[in-house]
Amino acid sequence: MKTRLRMLRAEKEWSQAELATHVGVARGTINAIETGKYDPSLPLAFKIVRAFGKTVEEVFLYQENEHPATTHPDV
Amino acid sequence: MIIPLGASDELTYRRPTSLLLFYVAAILSAVALALVGKASSLRTVLLSFAFVGAATAVWSLLRFLRSNDERERQINDQALTFAFTGTLAFVLAIGFLQSFGFHSVSWWGIPGLMVILWSVGLILYSWRYQ
């Protein structure tokens, strides 16, 4: 799944580690989401978008025909 | 900009201390076990020490695993599945070979193999997200 995380982080001048601390995950998880290697669970997706004051659709860009990245089993 | 710290303080501070405690307890427990044969007069004391060390190691490892986030838990689940199926395949293969005269393998090898395969699985599945 494509995301606008990197751009939004740059706007706020947050590092991956700072965002990770804010939403309560490891820095590697933020990196995996940004690079499209990992699709977050819904609770984590909401935590991330709320950190930026955005909606899910504004941050995560889902395309119908895309190959799903490795996804959390609860989703 | 200052980001307020929350529950994720745990990720920063609890995880390294849990891992450090795990390594120290596991090493002390292994040393105590190794010394049991050499100092038979202290056998009870050393075995008790090894047991307490092993229990502490398991507790700190579980504490570390509880502090993992969702991606890390997923990696861990996949690694455990890899270790379980790998060990099962190994045991079945050894059992099959023993029917043709292959020598027996110590049962100590089974947990050792599981830990090794678990570690290999953690490395392999972590690569997926890099």
Side-chain angles (χ1 to χ4, degrees):
Chain A
M1 187 184 293
K2 287 180 181 171
T3 78
R4 295 175 61 233
L5 269 188
R6 198 180 296 268
M7 198 185 73
L8 291 168
R9 271 196 312 105
E11 281 175 9
K12 296 243 180 194
E13 296 181 353
W14 287 354
S15 66
Q16 287 184 341
E18 284 172 320
L19 177 60
T21 303
H22 193 62
V23 297
V25 297
R27 190 202 60 80
T29 300
I30 297 297
N31 185 56
I33 294 169
E34 277 190 9
T35 52
K37 300 274 175 64
Y38 177 72
D39 293 341
S41 66
L42 269 178
L44 178 55
F46 275 105
K47 276 185 190 173
I48 290 170
V49 300
R50 280 177 186 169
F52 292 109
K54 303 278 183 188
T55 63
V56 170
E57 291 84 357
E58 287 175 306
V59 179
F60 296 99
L61 315 167
Y62 179 70
Q63 293 168 327
E64 288 286 340
N65 56 353
E66 76 181 59
H67 253 315
T70 311
T71 311
H72 188 267
D74 295 346
V75 178
Chain B
M1 165 167 260
I2 297 169
I3 298 176
L5 295 176
S8 55
D9 290 354
E10 246 181 39
L11 284 170
T12 314
Y13 303 110
R14 185 169 144 178
R15 286 155 58 109
T17 54
S18 296
L19 266 188
L20 184 66
L21 185 61
F22 166 74
Y23 287 125
V24 169
I27 288 169
L28 289 178
S29 180
V31 168
L33 269 181
L35 289 175
V36 167
K38 292 175 184 171
S40 52
S41 57
L42 295 172
R43 184 182 165 83
T44 309
V45 175
L46 286 171
L47 281 176
S48 305
F49 190 77
F51 178 78
V52 171
T56 306
V58 169
W59 175 78
S60 53
L61 183 63
L62 291 175
R63 190 167 178 260
F64 171 75
L65 292 175
R66 271 201 305 272
S67 69
N68 282 356
D69 68 24
E70 60 180 47
R71 181 186 61 96
E72 292 167 328
R73 283 185 186 158
Q74 188 173 328
I75 291 170
N76 193 44
D77 288 348
Q78 290 164 333
L80 283 174
T81 306
F82 176 75
F84 179 80
T85 51
T87 307
L88 185 64
F90 177 80
V91 169
L92 289 175
I94 292 293
F96 177 74
L97 289 174
Q98 278 177 347
S99 63
F100 295 102
F102 191 78
H103 64 84
S104 63
V105 176
S106 167
W107 69 270
W108 278 103
I110 304 300
L113 179 67
M114 284 195 94
V115 170
I116 290 168
L117 288 178
W118 184 23
S119 307
V120 170
L122 285 175
I123 294 166
L124 285 178
Y125 288 106
S126 295
W127 277 346
R128 268 190 178 184
Y129 303 103
Q130 289 173 1

